[in-house]
Amino acid sequence: MPYQTAVTVQAALPPDRVAEVRELLHEAGRKGTAGELFPFAEVPDIHFARVVLVPEGPGGPTAGMPPSVVYMGEVDGPVEAHLTDLVREASDGLDRVFGHCAGYPAGGSSDAARIGWLRSHLVPCAAYYVNTVGRGRQQIEQEAVLREVIEEFLDRNGPALAGRTPVEIRAAIQEYVGGRDDLAWARTGPAPPPLGWRIRRATHLVVVPLAGLVLLPLLMIALPVWAVLLRLHERRDVPEHARPSHDHIRELAGYEDFVAQNPFTAVGSIKTGPFRRITLTAVLFVVDYGVRHVFNRGNLAGVKTIHFARWLFVDGKRRVIFASNYDGSLESYMDDFIDKVAWGLNAVFSNGLGYPRARWLVLDGARDEQAFKNYLRCHQVPTQVWYSAYDTSTTHDLEIAARIRAGLFGHLGPAETEAWLALF
């Protein structure tokens, strides 16, 4: 079983090239045509991928916040292997988009030169959420096939199985699946991620709390000072009251709701001054620890519809990009967060310029539902090019398929067998 990696490549775009790249991405992103420019389906081990145009920040290029083009991929395995596969399969699209950026290898350059340039423009995540750590793309595809095969078997043999006990029906399924060489992998569970990755993960799990204990005396001294500064900053905050324009909503809607999943990409400026930058860095450090070790089994503090999400700093930690892949509509996505984890939204996004007024970092803020939704929509950017390797499957579908595989040959009692059959 592989591990999942967030790959982000960002490169500044000359202002006079923005319109050309925007049109190129728009044309590529029209439903059914994105694969012609970026054949992501041919790149091994991609779960999701996107290419977006990030607008310039306040002050523009002269303030060190130029427009940029960003590639993001959720992939299995190491970054280097993915960049190699990406260049091999999608070099034409990379050349046409990133070719406008300074230093990109000119046409006719070697793949090694392209890989080196992409590597030099990698942006690390401040926090990265994976719905189920270790569930690779191959596993997802195999388990979807297994579920379909068993459902077809049950439909085809319904009359013959009528009147049999759940244990007998499961035994018939086992015999059928066990007799197919193409499903031999289903007789065992998925292999764990590589040992080295598990060691690094376990080390991080232990070392971070230990470091926190060592620093606890200093943190106890600093906390009251931080709390006073926080309230002073919050009292001076000026919320935005802007509403997204109809044209902006129409443009965003043109890239949404084609399949079971949707992408979300938003860009926002951090409030001025070192206090907010330091606070957000600390918050995202805690978020990253939580999503690595606590919320890593299909549940992000009560929200179960997110496949992947990432937070990353750009422009010298003056702006943040948030990107996710989620099930359903944006309205239900926002409602889910507001209802279940508004405090978490506030802890992160209240450090952003114009956010609805919050108290003590986690109170109020997103509780002003309409103001929060307006804020998100105003900062959302169109995800012009987006790819999903399994665009008809929700997180619930993936979990059901995994449970079917786990229960097929595992030890189950009569009641557990009946519950397992109810999955179909």
Side-chain angles (χ1 to χ4, degrees):
M1 182 188 294
Y3 56 93
Q4 285 64 57
T5 305
V7 180
T8 305
V9 176
Q10 181 193 29
L13 195 62
D16 61 347
R17 297 291 186 177
V18 170
E20 182 179 347
V21 173
R22 179 183 290 111
E23 183 61 25
L24 175 63
L25 295 180
H26 172 72
E27 288 301 313
R30 288 189 304 175
K31 183 165 173 59
T33 64
E36 297 175 8
L37 182 62
F38 293 100
F40 291 130
E42 305 303 319
V43 182
D45 300 327
I46 287 184
H47 292 254
F48 296 89
R50 73 185 72 194
V51 181
V52 297
L53 185 64
V54 173
E56 65 182 33
T62 58
M65 289 190 277
S68 62
V69 62
V70 178
Y71 163 76
M72 298 183 188
E74 280 80 27
V75 306
D76 294 329
V79 173
E80 193 69 22
H82 174 66
L83 294 180
T84 301
D85 292 335
L86 183 66
V87 167
R88 184 181 64 247
E89 302 294 344
S91 60
D92 181 61
L94 294 171
D95 290 352
R96 292 182 65 186
V97 172
F98 286 108
H100 299 283
C101 303
Y104 186 82
S109 297
S110 67
D111 285 354
R114 290 187 180 89
I115 294 169
W117 187 90
L118 294 173
R119 189 191 305 114
S120 70
H121 287 77
L122 289 170
V123 180
C125 286
Y128 180 49
Y129 170 74
V130 179
N131 180 273
T132 303
V133 172
R135 184 184 288 166
R137 172 177 163 179
Q138 182 183 49
Q139 178 187 344
I140 289 170
E141 292 172 341
Q142 287 179 330
E143 290 172 351
V145 169
L146 179 64
R147 180 180 183 180
E148 183 178 346
V149 165
I150 296 175
E151 287 176 342
E152 290 176 351
F153 171 80
L154 292 173
D155 290 342
R156 189 170 60 251
N157 294 277
L161 296 173
R164 295 194 186 184
T165 66
V167 172
E168 291 171 335
I169 295 173
R170 177 169 175 256
I173 296 171
Q174 290 173 328
E175 181 180 0
Y176 175 70
V177 172
R180 290 185 50 160
D181 292 338
D182 60 324
L183 299 177
W185 52 266
R187 299 168 195 165
T188 60
L195 179 60
W197 182 89
R198 284 181 283 150
I199 291 173
R200 292 192 299 272
R201 187 177 183 84
T203 301
H204 186 269
L205 173 66
V206 174
V207 167
V208 170
L210 289 178
L213 287 175
V214 172
L215 296 174
L216 187 59
L218 293 177
L219 294 175
M220 294 300 293
I221 295 171
L223 186 60
V225 178
W226 173 84
V228 171
L229 291 174
L230 174 67
R231 285 304 294 149
L232 290 174
H233 280 78
E234 288 177 341
R235 289 177 182 275
R236 293 197 299 264
D237 286 344
V238 180
E240 289 178 359
H241 298 290
R243 294 174 176 268
S245 68
H246 292 298
D247 288 343
H248 184 59
I249 292 293
R250 191 178 303 111
E251 182 181 16
L252 294 173
Y255 301 103
E256 297 173 346
D257 298 330
F258 288 110
V259 293
Q261 309 147 356
N262 272 308
F264 182 85
T265 312
V267 184
S269 297
I270 302 172
K271 291 170 180 174
T272 56
F275 177 80
R276 285 296 189 175
R277 190 161 56 249
I278 294 170
T279 297
L280 182 54
T281 300
V283 167
L284 287 179
F285 181 85
V286 173
V287 169
D288 185 61
Y289 184 86
V291 296
R292 282 197 199 192
H293 305 296
V294 181
F295 305 112
N296 57 10
R297 282 292 177 266
N299 189 334
L300 180 56
V303 180
K304 301 180 180 181
T305 56
I306 301 175
H307 294 261
F308 294 89
R310 70 180 76 185
W311 297 257
L312 48 107
F313 291 104
V314 295
D315 300 329
K317 279 197 170 182
R318 287 176 291 172
R319 288 203 288 175
V320 171
I321 297 177
F322 171 72
S324 66
N325 303 281
Y326 65 93
D327 297 330
S329 69
L330 180 63
E331 192 70 19
S332 64
Y333 177 61
M334 292 189 293
D335 287 341
D336 217 12
F337 266 105
I338 292 169
D339 293 340
K340 297 175 181 177
V341 68
W343 61 269
L345 295 173
N346 293 337
V348 175
F349 294 109
S350 68
N351 296 287
L353 198 63
Y355 189 80
R357 190 181 297 277
R359 289 184 300 114
W360 298 114
L361 194 66
V362 296
L363 302 177
D364 298 340
R367 291 296 181 186
D368 187 343
E369 179 179 334
Q370 195 54 56
F372 172 74
K373 290 180 177 179
N374 287 339
Y375 177 84
L376 276 194
R377 273 302 205 183
C378 285
H379 289 83
Q380 186 181 358
V381 298
T383 306
Q384 294 102 329
V385 172
W386 179 70
Y387 166 76
S388 168
Y390 35 88
D391 58 16
T392 61
S393 298
T394 65
T395 57
H396 179 70
D397 293 330
L398 303 187
E399 178 61 22
I400 292 298
R403 289 170 60 189
I404 287 172
R405 177 184 184 175
L408 178 56
F409 290 103
H411 175 73
L412 300 179
E416 294 170 318
T417 299
E418 190 170 354
W420 181 79
L421 287 174
L423 297 174
F424 297 98

